[in-house]
């Protein structure tokens, strides 16, 4: 949601190109690797191996150092759509368009054969449709929800990663911006400390998590009911430990929560505000000769959260002129939830996937989006079917809902950090998204994206709306 990016982009690219000009031996990669573990997911059907270069510059397989970058530019628009009324946080019913940009510089150093340090810097620019308001499943995951932050570069990841071997047997790992090690013990502990995005490691899905080459919608790439700890840019400071075995993994993270809903500042007092996250992952041949993955997630957030019910009661009693959840916050309130995530290759060009999520919905949506219950089903298609191995396509259906307290709060005119039409005729927000990503040359990819949204913001009095989009992605 940032507008002033032009001054930063040339300098960013000059620095990036100068650094990349340093000598490296050839190595290419397609999608950024699943950073959770080398065994955490099957090779997706739409990620066929190819010797064709997929980065503009080669990268070393043996250097202790890593430097690379990405640029992602998304253009979206929607025509005018029917709306009986609109509020301060509505998706605008008049035709509009918006462009967002995300630039990332990835760096890392391999300190020992079991220790590495990662540092990433980002800059975001442009804006989202209607300033990213009016939709629980917003249409562009690259958009940051605070238009006041500007395009000044910021630290995205600053992390120490330690591997503790528990076996002599090793497995291959893909070297890339999320990990430099090329061999890992088959049984191991992994410890990560520092600044990170929790969804780099939790709720990962090989065909439904990458907003740069796959889906764009917030509730397609992540579990909408997973209110994961993060500032408004999507990052937090955390300590994470993960155990990996041949067929299963379990990971746990303790992370900082924002001081206020959708806030940029994190609360460092873990005695009063924090987030516990745990995920179990099982890998196996659920279909003959086709390795799939099932992940089960739970989380508990502690923060200075508002209660929808208290806000409603204060309004009905005449204490507040409008329901305002921010006036009824209390330190130490808890939001908890659960999620399930699966992926299953069916052929060498088709992988199906899905998610289900639920959270308690009594306390305010705080860190990700205004979803209390969600279900998703979709499929990813590999371009090897039509003899374009690095192309990919996908389609996904999402249905999002909210709790009864959350419904009544919005119906009475309350506002969340994303939603607020001034009234509400409730209906589940249902979204169908499809995309096609074409590999143009080396690290250059272009995509067409189409989203159809019924009941935007859970409101049957508004929509439906169609959102076509174009995306340009470059891997350096």
């Amino acid at each position: 949601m940032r507008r002033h990016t032009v001054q930063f982009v040339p300098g960013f690219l000059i620095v990036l190109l100068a650094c990349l000009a340093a000598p490296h031996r050839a190595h290419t990669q397609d999608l950024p690797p699943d950073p959770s573990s080398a065994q955490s997911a099957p090779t997706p059907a739409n990620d066929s191996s190819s010797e064709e270069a997929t980065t503009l510059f080669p990268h070393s397989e043996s250097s202790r150092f890593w430097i690379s970058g990405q640029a992602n530019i998304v253009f979206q628009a929607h025509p005018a759509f029917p709306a009986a009324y609109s509020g301060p946080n509505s998706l605008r019913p008049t035709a509009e368009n918006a462009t967002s940009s995300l630039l990332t510089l990835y760096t890392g150093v391999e300190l020992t054969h079991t220790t590495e340090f990662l540092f990433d810097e980002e800059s975001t620019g442009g804006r989202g449709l209607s300033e990213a308001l009016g939709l629980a499943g917003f249409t562009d995951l690259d958009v940051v929800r605070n238009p006041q932050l500007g395009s000044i570069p910021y630290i995205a990841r600053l992390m120490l990663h330690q591997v503790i071997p528990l076996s002599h047997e090793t497995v291959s790992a893909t070297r890339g911006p999320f990990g430099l090690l090329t061999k890992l013990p088959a049984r191991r502990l992994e410890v990560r400390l520092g600044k990170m995005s929790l969804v780099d490691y939790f709720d990962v899905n090989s065909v439904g998590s990458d907003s740069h080459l796959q889906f764009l919608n917030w509730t397609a790439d992540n579990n909408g009911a997973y209110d994961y700890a993060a500032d408004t840019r999507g990052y937090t400071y955390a300590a994470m430990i993960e155990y990996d075995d041949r067929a299963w993994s379990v990971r746990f993270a303790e992370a900082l929560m924002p001081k206020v809903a959708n806030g940029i500042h994190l609360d460092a007092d873990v005695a009063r505000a924090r987030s516990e996250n745990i995920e179990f992952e099982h890998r196996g041949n659920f279909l003959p000769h086709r390795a799939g993955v099932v992940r089960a997630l739970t989380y508990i957030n502690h923060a200075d959260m508002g209660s929808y019910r208290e806000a409603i009661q204060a309004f009905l009693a005449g204490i507040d002129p409008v329901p305002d959840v921010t006036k009824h916050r209390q330190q130490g309130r808890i939001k908890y939830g659960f999620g399930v995530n699966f992926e299953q290759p069916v052929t060498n060009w088709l992988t199906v996937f899905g998610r289900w999520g639920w959270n308690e919905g009594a306390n305010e949506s705080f860190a990700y989006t205004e979803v209390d219950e969600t279900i998703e089903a979709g499929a990813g298609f590999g371009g090897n079917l039509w003899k374009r191995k690095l192309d990919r396509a996908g389609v996904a259906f999402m249905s999002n809902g909210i709790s009864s307290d959350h419904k009544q709060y919005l119906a009475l005119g309350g506002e969340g950090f994303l939603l607020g039409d001034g009234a509400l005729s409730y209906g589940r927000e249902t979204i169908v998204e499809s995309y096609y990503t074409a590999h143009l040359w080396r690290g250059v990819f272009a995509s067409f994206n189409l989203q159809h949204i019924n009941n935007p913001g859970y409101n049957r009095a508004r929509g439906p709306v169609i959102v076509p989009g174009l995306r340009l992605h470059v891997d350096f």
Side-chain angles (χ1 to χ4, degrees):
M1 291 168 57
R2 290 151 181 92
R3 300 172 184 272
H4 308 294
T5 60
V6 176
Q7 293 180 348
F8 171 70
V9 173
F12 179 92
L13 292 178
I14 289 170
V15 173
L16 179 60
L17 292 172
C19 293
L20 290 170
H24 295 287
R25 290 189 177 89
H27 169 66
T28 63
Q29 67 180 48
D30 194 357
L31 286 171
D34 176 350
S36 51
S37 84
Q39 305 179 78
S40 66
T43 300
N46 64 340
D47 195 18
S48 303
S49 61
S50 173
E51 295 184 359
E52 188 175 354
T54 56
T55 57
L56 291 184
F57 303 96
H59 298 291
S60 172
E61 274 287 296
S62 57
S63 172
R64 291 179 55 228
F65 301 96
W66 178 272
I67 184 165
S68 65
Q70 291 185 355
N72 209 57
I73 300 171
V74 176
F75 170 83
Q76 292 184 320
H78 72 74
F81 63 88
Y85 49 82
S86 296
N89 286 0
S90 293
L91 183 70
R92 298 186 192 110
T94 54
E96 62 173 328
N97 64 77
T99 301
S100 69
S101 64
L102 176 63
L103 307 175
T104 308
L105 177 66
Y106 299 101
T107 67
V109 57
E110 186 176 335
L111 302 175
T112 72
H113 68 285
T114 59
T115 309
E116 58 190 7
F117 178 77
L118 304 175
F119 174 84
D120 302 343
E121 188 174 39
E122 284 186 349
S123 173
T124 57
R127 64 182 185 88
L129 295 169
S130 298
E131 308 303 332
L133 298 173
L135 293 170
F138 189 70
T139 57
D140 180 1
L141 189 56
D142 281 356
V143 170
V144 176
R145 296 155 294 190
N146 186 340
Q148 307 303 319
L149 293 177
S151 60
I152 297 173
Y154 56 88
I155 296 172
R157 299 173 184 87
L158 180 69
M159 181 170 48
L160 181 69
H161 176 209
Q162 177 67 51
V163 177
I164 302 172
L166 300 177
S167 70
H168 295 294
E169 179 188 356
T170 62
V171 295
S172 297
T174 303
R175 183 178 171 91
F178 293 106
L180 280 62
L181 306 177
T182 57
K183 293 285 186 181
L184 291 170
R187 292 177 57 247
R188 63 192 181 277
L189 287 174
E190 296 190 42
V191 178
R192 294 177 172 88
L193 297 171
K195 192 174 186 183
M196 65 186 75
S197 174
L198 289 182
V199 290
D200 283 345
Y201 307 100
F202 293 83
D203 189 46
V204 174
N205 193 293
S206 69
V207 291
S209 284
D210 186 356
S211 64
H212 293 176
L213 293 168
Q214 298 169 349
F215 300 98
L216 283 169
N217 193 281
W218 288 7
T219 55
D221 288 318
N222 295 315
N223 190 320
Y226 180 25
D227 202 21
Y228 66 91
D231 61 20
T232 190
R233 290 178 171 132
Y235 297 97
T236 187
Y237 287 91
M240 176 181 166
I241 187 167
E242 175 175 332
Y243 173 78
D244 291 291
D245 210 325
R246 295 164 184 82
W248 62 278
S249 302
V250 62
R251 54 192 65 94
F252 172 82
E254 189 83 32
L256 300 187
M257 290 290 290
K259 291 184 176 181
V260 297
N262 191 39
I264 188 61
H265 299 294
L266 298 169
D267 192 336
D269 187 346
V270 295
R272 68 180 184 183
R274 62 193 182 277
S275 173
E276 288 95 25
N277 305 259
I278 187 167
E279 184 176 56
F280 176 79
E281 176 179 302
H282 176 64
R283 301 174 290 275
N285 290 346
F286 306 114
L287 294 179
H289 312 295
R290 301 288 179 186
V293 185
V294 176
R295 305 173 182 92
L297 166 75
T298 187
Y299 72 96
I300 302 175
N301 293 342
H302 312 252
D304 187 18
M305 299 179 196
S307 163
Y308 291 122
R309 183 165 298 178
E310 288 185 9
I312 292 166
Q313 290 171 345
F315 169 71
L316 294 177
I319 298 172
D320 295 336
V322 293
D324 187 350
V325 73
T326 67
K327 292 182 177 180
H328 300 276
R329 286 176 171 158
Q330 180 178 313
Q331 197 65 256
R333 281 206 168 110
I334 290 175
K335 177 179 281 291
Y336 62 91
F338 306 92
V340 177
N341 167 334
F342 81 91
E343 56 186 283
Q344 177 61 60
V346 179
T347 70
N348 65 350
W349 54 266
L350 171 64
T351 297
V352 297
F353 75 100
R355 288 183 174 94
W356 169 84
W358 176 91
N359 67 55
E360 48 83 35
N363 296 314
E364 65 177 317
S365 299
F366 207 75
Y368 187 45
T369 187
E370 295 195 49
V371 174
D372 300 325
E373 187 269 320
T374 187
I375 189 167
E376 177 186 11
F381 304 90
N384 52 318
L385 176 64
W386 51 93
K387 303 187 187 306
R388 287 187 56 86
K389 291 184 177 181
L390 295 176
D391 287 11
R392 66 206 70 200
V395 61
F397 168 82
M398 296 139 273
S399 178
N400 303 318
I402 51 177
S403 68
S404 57
D405 286 348
H406 202 164
K407 293 175 196 175
Q408 187 179 6
Y409 175 78
L410 294 175
L412 292 173
E415 297 175 20
F417 65 82
L418 292 175
L419 304 181
D421 293 332
L424 185 69
S425 177
Y426 180 75
R428 291 183 68 88
E429 185 182 81
T430 58
I431 304 166
V432 177
E433 180 179 4
S434 60
Y435 76 88
Y436 186 93
T437 297
H439 178 236
L440 303 182
W441 173 76
R442 295 186 70 89
V444 182
F445 297 81
S447 305
F448 174 75
N449 182 277
L450 184 64
Q451 300 179 48
H452 181 277
I453 304 163
N454 270 326
N455 307 327
Y458 307 108
N459 204 333
R460 291 187 289 110
R462 313 185 81 250
V465 58
I466 296 175
V467 182
L470 298 172
R471 171 177 55 197
L472 178 66
H473 177 76
V474 183
D475 272 309
F476 297 99

PDB file of all heavy atoms in Angstrom, residues 80-103:
ATOM      1  N   ALA A  80     -16.875  -1.612 -11.918  1.00  0.00           N
ATOM      2  CA  ALA A  80     -17.915  -1.249 -10.959  1.00  0.00           C
ATOM      3  C   ALA A  80     -18.765  -2.473 -10.646  1.00  0.00           C
ATOM      4  O   ALA A  80     -18.992  -3.333 -11.502  1.00  0.00           O
ATOM      5  CB  ALA A  80     -18.784  -0.129 -11.529  1.00  0.00           C
ATOM      6  N   PHE A  81     -19.209  -2.581  -9.393  1.00  0.00           N
ATOM      7  CA  PHE A  81     -20.039  -3.712  -8.991  1.00  0.00           C
ATOM      8  C   PHE A  81     -21.188  -3.202  -8.122  1.00  0.00           C
ATOM      9  O   PHE A  81     -21.104  -2.115  -7.530  1.00  0.00           O
ATOM     10  CB  PHE A  81     -19.218  -4.779  -8.267  1.00  0.00           C
ATOM     11  CG  PHE A  81     -18.603  -4.331  -6.966  1.00  0.00           C
ATOM     12  CD1 PHE A  81     -19.305  -4.436  -5.762  1.00  0.00           C
ATOM     13  CD2 PHE A  81     -17.318  -3.820  -6.925  1.00  0.00           C
ATOM     14  CE1 PHE A  81     -18.745  -4.038  -4.567  1.00  0.00           C
ATOM     15  CE2 PHE A  81     -16.748  -3.409  -5.727  1.00  0.00           C
ATOM     16  CZ  PHE A  81     -17.465  -3.523  -4.541  1.00  0.00           C
ATOM     17  N   PRO A  82     -22.290  -3.958  -8.031  1.00  0.00           N
ATOM     18  CA  PRO A  82     -23.451  -3.491  -7.257  1.00  0.00           C
ATOM     19  C   PRO A  82     -23.163  -3.474  -5.760  1.00  0.00           C
ATOM     20  O   PRO A  82     -22.528  -4.379  -5.224  1.00  0.00           O
ATOM     21  CB  PRO A  82     -24.535  -4.499  -7.604  1.00  0.00           C
ATOM     22  CG  PRO A  82     -23.806  -5.723  -8.065  1.00  0.00           C
ATOM     23  CD  PRO A  82     -22.552  -5.232  -8.722  1.00  0.00           C
ATOM     24  N   ALA A  83     -23.631  -2.424  -5.081  1.00  0.00           N
ATOM     25  CA  ALA A  83     -23.484  -2.309  -3.627  1.00  0.00           C
ATOM     26  C   ALA A  83     -24.638  -1.463  -3.105  1.00  0.00           C
ATOM     27  O   ALA A  83     -24.800  -0.311  -3.509  1.00  0.00           O
ATOM     28  CB  ALA A  83     -22.150  -1.677  -3.265  1.00  0.00           C
ATOM     29  N   ALA A  84     -25.444  -2.039  -2.215  1.00  0.00           N
ATOM     30  CA  ALA A  84     -26.580  -1.298  -1.645  1.00  0.00           C
ATOM     31  C   ALA A  84     -26.098  -0.154  -0.771  1.00  0.00           C
ATOM     32  O   ALA A  84     -26.796   0.858  -0.629  1.00  0.00           O
ATOM     33  CB  ALA A  84     -27.465  -2.251  -0.843  1.00  0.00           C
ATOM     34  N   TYR A  85     -24.913  -0.291  -0.181  1.00  0.00           N
ATOM     35  CA  TYR A  85     -24.337   0.763   0.651  1.00  0.00           C
ATOM     36  C   TYR A  85     -22.849   0.476   0.808  1.00  0.00           C
ATOM     37  O   TYR A  85     -22.374  -0.623   0.505  1.00  0.00           O
ATOM     38  CB  TYR A  85     -25.014   0.831   2.030  1.00  0.00           C
ATOM     39  CG  TYR A  85     -25.126  -0.508   2.725  1.00  0.00           C
ATOM     40  CD1 TYR A  85     -24.054  -1.045   3.444  1.00  0.00           C
ATOM     41  CD2 TYR A  85     -26.299  -1.261   2.647  1.00  0.00           C
ATOM     42  CE1 TYR A  85     -24.148  -2.267   4.064  1.00  0.00           C
ATOM     43  CE2 TYR A  85     -26.405  -2.488   3.276  1.00  0.00           C
ATOM     44  CZ  TYR A  85     -25.333  -2.990   3.983  1.00  0.00           C
ATOM     45  OH  TYR A  85     -25.433  -4.212   4.589  1.00  0.00           O
ATOM     46  N   SER A  86     -22.136   1.488   1.298  1.00  0.00           N
ATOM     47  CA  SER A  86     -20.706   1.345   1.561  1.00  0.00           C
ATOM     48  C   SER A  86     -20.373   2.036   2.862  1.00  0.00           C
ATOM     49  O   SER A  86     -21.069   2.957   3.294  1.00  0.00           O
ATOM     50  CB  SER A  86     -19.871   1.949   0.426  1.00  0.00           C
ATOM     51  OG  SER A  86     -20.085   1.262  -0.790  1.00  0.00           O
ATOM     52  N   GLY A  87     -19.301   1.594   3.494  1.00  0.00           N
ATOM     53  CA  GLY A  87     -18.849   2.176   4.744  1.00  0.00           C
ATOM     54  C   GLY A  87     -17.397   2.598   4.649  1.00  0.00           C
ATOM     55  O   GLY A  87     -16.767   2.510   3.585  1.00  0.00           O
ATOM     56  N   PRO A  88     -16.824   3.019   5.767  1.00  0.00           N
ATOM     57  CA  PRO A  88     -15.443   3.524   5.753  1.00  0.00           C
ATOM     58  C   PRO A  88     -14.403   2.480   5.385  1.00  0.00           C
ATOM     59  O   PRO A  88     -13.339   2.822   4.878  1.00  0.00           O
ATOM     60  CB  PRO A  88     -15.233   4.030   7.190  1.00  0.00           C
ATOM     61  CG  PRO A  88     -16.270   3.326   8.015  1.00  0.00           C
ATOM     62  CD  PRO A  88     -17.436   3.136   7.115  1.00  0.00           C
ATOM     63  N   ASN A  89     -14.693   1.210   5.642  1.00  0.00           N
ATOM     64  CA  ASN A  89     -13.733   0.147   5.337  1.00  0.00           C
ATOM     65  C   ASN A  89     -14.243  -0.784   4.241  1.00  0.00           C
ATOM     66  O   ASN A  89     -13.929  -1.972   4.222  1.00  0.00           O
ATOM     67  CB  ASN A  89     -13.422  -0.676   6.591  1.00  0.00           C
ATOM     68  CG  ASN A  89     -12.521   0.059   7.560  1.00  0.00           C
ATOM     69  OD1 ASN A  89     -12.118   1.185   7.312  1.00  0.00           O
ATOM     70  ND2 ASN A  89     -12.200  -0.576   8.672  1.00  0.00           N
ATOM     71  N   SER A  90     -15.010  -0.247   3.300  1.00  0.00           N
ATOM     72  CA  SER A  90     -15.567  -1.059   2.223  1.00  0.00           C
ATOM     73  C   SER A  90     -14.627  -1.112   1.021  1.00  0.00           C
ATOM     74  O   SER A  90     -13.842  -0.179   0.782  1.00  0.00           O
ATOM     75  CB  SER A  90     -16.909  -0.488   1.752  1.00  0.00           C
ATOM     76  OG  SER A  90     -17.899  -0.606   2.737  1.00  0.00           O
ATOM     77  N   LEU A  91     -14.713  -2.200   0.280  1.00  0.00           N
ATOM     78  CA  LEU A  91     -14.149  -2.232  -1.062  1.00  0.00           C
ATOM     79  C   LEU A  91     -14.971  -1.276  -1.923  1.00  0.00           C
ATOM     80  O   LEU A  91     -16.200  -1.361  -1.960  1.00  0.00           O
ATOM     81  CB  LEU A  91     -14.210  -3.650  -1.628  1.00  0.00           C
ATOM     82  CG  LEU A  91     -13.576  -3.862  -3.005  1.00  0.00           C
ATOM     83  CD1 LEU A  91     -12.059  -3.754  -2.930  1.00  0.00           C
ATOM     84  CD2 LEU A  91     -13.985  -5.221  -3.582  1.00  0.00           C
ATOM     85  N   ARG A  92     -14.318  -0.343  -2.595  1.00  0.00           N
ATOM     86  CA  ARG A  92     -15.045   0.675  -3.347  1.00  0.00           C
ATOM     87  C   ARG A  92     -15.837   0.039  -4.487  1.00  0.00           C
ATOM     88  O   ARG A  92     -15.292  -0.751  -5.269  1.00  0.00           O
ATOM     89  CB  ARG A  92     -14.082   1.709  -3.914  1.00  0.00           C
ATOM     90  CG  ARG A  92     -13.307   2.475  -2.863  1.00  0.00           C
ATOM     91  CD  ARG A  92     -12.481   3.587  -3.472  1.00  0.00           C
ATOM     92  NE  ARG A  92     -11.547   4.126  -2.494  1.00  0.00           N
ATOM     93  CZ  ARG A  92     -10.228   3.965  -2.544  1.00  0.00           C
ATOM     94  NH1 ARG A  92      -9.688   3.283  -3.541  1.00  0.00           N
ATOM     95  NH2 ARG A  92      -9.460   4.478  -1.618  1.00  0.00           N
ATOM     96  N   PRO A  93     -17.117   0.394  -4.652  1.00  0.00           N
ATOM     97  CA  PRO A  93     -17.924  -0.198  -5.713  1.00  0.00           C
ATOM     98  C   PRO A  93     -17.676   0.413  -7.089  1.00  0.00           C
ATOM     99  O   PRO A  93     -18.116  -0.134  -8.096  1.00  0.00           O
ATOM    100  CB  PRO A  93     -19.356   0.059  -5.253  1.00  0.00           C
ATOM    101  CG  PRO A  93     -19.262   1.291  -4.419  1.00  0.00           C
ATOM    102  CD  PRO A  93     -17.923   1.239  -3.750  1.00  0.00           C
ATOM    103  N   THR A  94     -16.974   1.545  -7.148  1.00  0.00           N
ATOM    104  CA  THR A  94     -16.631   2.142  -8.431  1.00  0.00           C
ATOM    105  C   THR A  94     -15.391   1.459  -9.006  1.00  0.00           C
ATOM    106  O   THR A  94     -14.566   0.898  -8.265  1.00  0.00           O
ATOM    107  CB  THR A  94     -16.364   3.639  -8.269  1.00  0.00           C
ATOM    108  OG1 THR A  94     -15.366   3.832  -7.255  1.00  0.00           O
ATOM    109  CG2 THR A  94     -17.646   4.364  -7.853  1.00  0.00           C
ATOM    110  N   ALA A  95     -15.247   1.496 -10.310  1.00  0.00           N
ATOM    111  CA  ALA A  95     -14.102   0.858 -10.960  1.00  0.00           C
ATOM    112  C   ALA A  95     -12.800   1.474 -10.453  1.00  0.00           C
ATOM    113  O   ALA A  95     -12.710   2.693 -10.242  1.00  0.00           O
ATOM    114  CB  ALA A  95     -14.204   1.018 -12.471  1.00  0.00           C
ATOM    115  N   GLU A  96     -11.806   0.640 -10.241  1.00  0.00           N
ATOM    116  CA  GLU A  96     -10.506   1.134  -9.783  1.00  0.00           C
ATOM    117  C   GLU A  96      -9.412   0.153 -10.178  1.00  0.00           C
ATOM    118  O   GLU A  96      -9.679  -0.990 -10.584  1.00  0.00           O
ATOM    119  CB  GLU A  96     -10.497   1.334  -8.270  1.00  0.00           C
ATOM    120  CG  GLU A  96     -10.738   0.068  -7.472  1.00  0.00           C
ATOM    121  CD  GLU A  96     -10.549   0.266  -5.960  1.00  0.00           C
ATOM    122  OE1 GLU A  96      -9.704   1.107  -5.565  1.00  0.00           O
ATOM    123  OE2 GLU A  96     -11.234  -0.421  -5.192  1.00  0.00           O
ATOM    124  N   ASN A  97      -8.174   0.622 -10.081  1.00  0.00           N
ATOM    125  CA  ASN A  97      -7.027  -0.257 -10.307  1.00  0.00           C
ATOM    126  C   ASN A  97      -5.917   0.136  -9.353  1.00  0.00           C
ATOM    127  O   ASN A  97      -5.916   1.230  -8.771  1.00  0.00           O
ATOM    128  CB  ASN A  97      -6.557  -0.200 -11.765  1.00  0.00           C
ATOM    129  CG  ASN A  97      -6.049   1.171 -12.153  1.00  0.00           C
ATOM    130  OD1 ASN A  97      -4.932   1.571 -11.802  1.00  0.00           O
ATOM    131  ND2 ASN A  97      -6.878   1.922 -12.882  1.00  0.00           N
ATOM    132  N   ALA A  98      -4.978  -0.763  -9.151  1.00  0.00           N
ATOM    133  CA  ALA A  98      -3.870  -0.512  -8.226  1.00  0.00           C
ATOM    134  C   ALA A  98      -2.687  -1.374  -8.619  1.00  0.00           C
ATOM    135  O   ALA A  98      -2.842  -2.465  -9.207  1.00  0.00           O
ATOM    136  CB  ALA A  98      -4.288  -0.820  -6.782  1.00  0.00           C
ATOM    137  N   THR A  99      -1.492  -0.889  -8.294  1.00  0.00           N
ATOM    138  CA  THR A  99      -0.259  -1.620  -8.558  1.00  0.00           C
ATOM    139  C   THR A  99       0.571  -1.674  -7.286  1.00  0.00           C
ATOM    140  O   THR A  99       0.734  -0.662  -6.597  1.00  0.00           O
ATOM    141  CB  THR A  99       0.559  -0.946  -9.675  1.00  0.00           C
ATOM    142  OG1 THR A  99      -0.225  -0.882 -10.869  1.00  0.00           O
ATOM    143  CG2 THR A  99       1.834  -1.734  -9.959  1.00  0.00           C
ATOM    144  N   SER A 100       1.061  -2.858  -6.962  1.00  0.00           N
ATOM    145  CA  SER A 100       1.956  -3.027  -5.811  1.00  0.00           C
ATOM    146  C   SER A 100       3.300  -3.546  -6.293  1.00  0.00           C
ATOM    147  O   SER A 100       3.404  -4.169  -7.358  1.00  0.00           O
ATOM    148  CB  SER A 100       1.354  -4.008  -4.802  1.00  0.00           C
ATOM    149  OG  SER A 100       1.340  -5.323  -5.326  1.00  0.00           O
ATOM    150  N   SER A 101       4.333  -3.290  -5.500  1.00  0.00           N
ATOM    151  CA  SER A 101       5.658  -3.826  -5.813  1.00  0.00           C
ATOM    152  C   SER A 101       6.316  -4.303  -4.531  1.00  0.00           C
ATOM    153  O   SER A 101       6.091  -3.751  -3.451  1.00  0.00           O
ATOM    154  CB  SER A 101       6.535  -2.773  -6.496  1.00  0.00           C
ATOM    155  OG  SER A 101       6.780  -1.685  -5.621  1.00  0.00           O
ATOM    156  N   LEU A 102       7.118  -5.332  -4.663  1.00  0.00           N
ATOM    157  CA  LEU A 102       7.879  -5.875  -3.537  1.00  0.00           C
ATOM    158  C   LEU A 102       9.266  -6.240  -4.042  1.00  0.00           C
ATOM    159  O   LEU A 102       9.416  -7.034  -4.979  1.00  0.00           O
ATOM    160  CB  LEU A 102       7.187  -7.111  -2.958  1.00  0.00           C
ATOM    161  CG  LEU A 102       7.932  -7.837  -1.833  1.00  0.00           C
ATOM    162  CD1 LEU A 102       8.098  -6.935  -0.612  1.00  0.00           C
ATOM    163  CD2 LEU A 102       7.202  -9.118  -1.436  1.00  0.00           C
ATOM    164  N   LEU A 103      10.284  -5.635  -3.441  1.00  0.00           N
ATOM    165  CA  LEU A 103      11.675  -5.902  -3.784  1.00  0.00           C
ATOM    166  C   LEU A 103      12.360  -6.516  -2.570  1.00  0.00           C
ATOM    167  O   LEU A 103      12.235  -5.995  -1.460  1.00  0.00           O
ATOM    168  CB  LEU A 103      12.391  -4.610  -4.182  1.00  0.00           C
ATOM    169  CG  LEU A 103      11.735  -3.776  -5.281  1.00  0.00           C
ATOM    170  CD1 LEU A 103      12.497  -2.468  -5.471  1.00  0.00           C
ATOM    171  CD2 LEU A 103      11.676  -4.553  -6.584  1.00  0.00           C
TER     172      LEU A 103
END
